[in-house]
Amino acid sequence: MNAKYDTIGLGYSALRRPDPRIGKAIRDALCDAQSVVNVGAGAGSYEPSGLAVTSVEPSREMIDQHPRADEVVQASAEALPFADQSFDASMAILTVHHWPDKSAGLREMQRVSRDRIVLLTFDPAYRDIWLLDYLPELADLDEKQMPQMRDYEEWLAPITVQSVPIPHDCSDGFLYSYWRRPDAYLDPQIRKGSSSFWAIDGVEQKLEKLRDDLESGVWEHRYGQLMGLDELDLGYRLIVAEQT
């Protein structure tokens, strides 16, 4: 089974270490579920301890980085190899935008879940992020690949949507997690932790403006107020759909 992360997922687990504060929000959203299927599990980030978790991942590279690699089911979201209502809940963390057929994958999550579906995703309508001043292509990329909140409403209604603020020292290296550590975006190794940087040409050259602005003090003049914040809403959303 071929998967994009067989190529871009090298070293992923070292760069994408789950943040406990985000993990708590996900665990709380699962409520009293005891059995959970984690769809698009990657290297196993945010899988709650103490629960019976079944991990599903299409990429062999990502499976090999999972702490329970020998137990991971290699399959796609669109064809989950489980009977109807096999689990109390299903979860998918920052992965739906990678699925070829998003609605089919979410229907499969509904099919195998008895109680609820929990998703962590990004709202592409959110644009108040300083990195877009240097890489405006990110907004177009998000618009193309990220479902809108209304899409989830159509696919999973009814849903609740909760903002997930990102701490300034977030340990998980997803795209906008370094909002208070701008120099991190100049590190090619750190950028490997986000698929978005793989999708844009000439990133290194385009970020030279950020390097210049950090050295000259322009970045601090424009965005220095962020340095006094402990967390920030950056458009990440927790979506919960209860089964009826």
Side-chain angles (χ1 to χ4, degrees):
M1 179 182 297
N2 294 324
K4 177 167 64 174
Y5 272 84
D6 286 339
T7 300
I8 70 176
L10 297 172
Y12 186 88
S13 58
L15 297 168
R16 298 295 300 273
R17 294 173 292 115
D19 187 274
R21 293 152 291 192
I22 298 174
K24 183 180 185 303
I26 294 168
R27 179 64 185 89
D28 290 348
L30 289 168
C31 291
D32 57 356
Q34 294 300 305
S35 61
V36 180
V37 59
N38 185 18
V39 182
S45 291
Y46 301 108
E47 293 185 347
S49 60
L51 302 184
V53 179
T54 299
S55 307
V56 177
E57 169 58 41
S59 165
R60 186 73 250 174
E61 173 61 35
M62 298 305 294
I63 292 173
D64 289 342
Q65 297 179 56
H66 195 288
R68 296 181 290 104
D70 58 337
E71 300 176 14
V72 177
V73 177
Q74 188 171 20
S76 65
E78 297 89 345
L80 297 177
F82 310 113
D84 294 358
Q85 297 187 329
S86 293
F87 307 93
D88 292 335
S90 56
M91 58 184 278
I93 307 303
L94 296 176
T95 180
V96 174
H97 58 287
H98 292 303
W99 300 354
D101 190 334
K102 300 168 180 59
S103 62
L106 292 171
R107 284 196 302 272
E108 278 289 87
M109 291 180 72
Q110 287 180 309
R111 182 182 65 78
V112 302
S113 304
R114 288 186 288 270
D115 297 331
R116 62 183 48 222
I117 296 167
V118 174
L119 311 171
L120 181 63
T121 187
F122 175 78
D123 181 356
Y126 191 91
R127 299 294 178 88
D128 190 17
I129 302 166
W130 63 260
L131 188 59
L132 297 182
D133 292 345
Y134 299 92
L135 292 172
E137 299 93 336
L138 289 173
D140 293 335
L141 181 63
D142 287 339
E143 192 70 31
K144 289 177 182 176
Q145 68 178 3
M146 292 284 184
Q148 301 284 340
M149 295 300 102
R150 64 177 178 272
D151 294 327
Y152 290 109
E153 182 72 37
E154 177 182 343
W155 295 329
L156 298 173
I159 62 173
T160 60
V161 181
Q162 171 188 335
S163 298
V164 180
I166 306 305
H168 73 93
D169 56 351
C170 183
S171 61
D172 194 346
F174 50 79
L175 179 58
Y176 296 125
S177 64
Y178 297 100
W179 60 272
R180 219 184 81 171
R181 295 167 286 175
D183 55 315
Y185 291 107
L186 302 178
D187 186 338
Q189 183 63 26
I190 287 178
R191 294 199 303 269
K192 287 182 179 180
S194 172
S195 62
S196 296
F197 291 117
W198 293 80
I200 297 174
D201 294 328
V203 168
E204 189 75 39
Q205 294 76 18
K206 291 170 182 175
L207 286 176
E208 282 302 310
K209 181 66 167 69
L210 173 60
R211 186 186 305 276
D212 292 344
D213 285 355
L214 288 171
E215 292 176 354
S216 68
V218 168
W219 189 94
E220 183 177 5
H221 176 73
R222 291 176 178 168
Y223 312 109
Q225 72 277 7
L226 296 176
M227 305 307 278
L229 302 179
D230 291 332
E231 61 181 23
L232 190 64
D233 180 359
L234 293 167
Y236 292 94
R237 303 289 181 254
L238 198 61
I239 295 174
V240 178
E242 295 192 28
Q243 298 284 75
T244 56

